[in-house]
């Protein structure tokens, strides 16, 4: 996982520059999953009634980031297209069912 394999963003960029297409796709998927995991850790404990506010906040952050860094918009689309990313109903991540995710969130709420 990237948290262990790379010592920061510059090392990640160097690895990407040296990678072939298959390795680059793997690196991009792993880095994206790293941020998905971090974001899920924070919003996963939010009450379900706050979901609309969470989505709104994420959208505001995304729009602000795209205005500050217009290249991010093009790169985002390339990542989505290249990695065939999409949100899948019923899954928390590639290996977790919706029921397992709900149980995990319930556990976090009780802590």
């Amino acid at each position: 996982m990237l948290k262990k394999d790379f010592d920061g963003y510059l090392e990640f960029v160097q690895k990407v520059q040296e990678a072939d297409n298959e390795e680059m796709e793997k690196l991009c998927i792993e880095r994206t999953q790293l941020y998905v995991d971090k974001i899920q850790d924070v919003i996963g404990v939010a009450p379900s009634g706050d979901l609309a506010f969470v989505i709104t906040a994420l959208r505001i952050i995304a729009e602000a980031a795209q205005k500050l860094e217009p290249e991010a918009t093009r790169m985002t689309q390339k990542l989505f297209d290249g990695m065939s990313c999409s949100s899948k109903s019923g899954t928390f991540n590639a290996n977790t069912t919706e029921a397992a995710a709900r149980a995990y969130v319930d556990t976090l709420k009780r802590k």
Side-chain angles (χ1 to χ4, degrees):
M1 188 49 120
L2 286 177
K3 294 177 208 175
K4 298 175 185 169
D5 292 345
F6 299 104
D7 186 28
Y9 181 73
L10 292 178
E11 189 174 343
F12 169 75
V13 170
Q14 181 181 7
K15 190 76 171 172
V16 166
Q17 290 173 344
E18 298 167 355
D20 60 18
N21 286 343
E22 186 177 321
E23 179 69 13
M24 184 178 303
E25 181 179 357
K26 179 183 172 193
L27 291 168
C28 290
I29 288 171
E30 287 178 358
R31 190 149 186 100
T32 301
Q33 188 64 48
L34 176 110
Y35 283 100
V36 167
D37 292 344
K38 286 181 180 187
I39 292 167
Q40 283 179 336
D41 286 346
V42 173
I43 65 173
V45 295
S48 60
D50 277 348
L51 187 56
F53 300 104
V54 169
I55 292 168
T56 301
L58 290 170
R59 189 172 186 174
I60 289 168
I61 291 167
E63 288 175 1
Q66 289 172 345
K67 286 179 185 174
L68 290 172
E69 206 52 59
E71 179 64 21
T73 304
R74 290 198 319 237
M75 275 303 296
T76 300
Q77 193 59 52
K78 284 182 181 181
L79 285 170
F80 266 88
D81 294 345
M83 295 188 299
S84 301
C85 289
S86 64
S87 59
K88 297 178 183 177
S89 177
T91 60
F92 189 68
N93 66 31
N95 301 316
T96 307
T97 65
E98 184 177 1
R102 288 183 191 278
Y104 173 72
V105 169
D106 286 342
T107 303
L108 291 175
K109 286 180 181 177
R110 282 184 244 140
K111 286 185 179 181

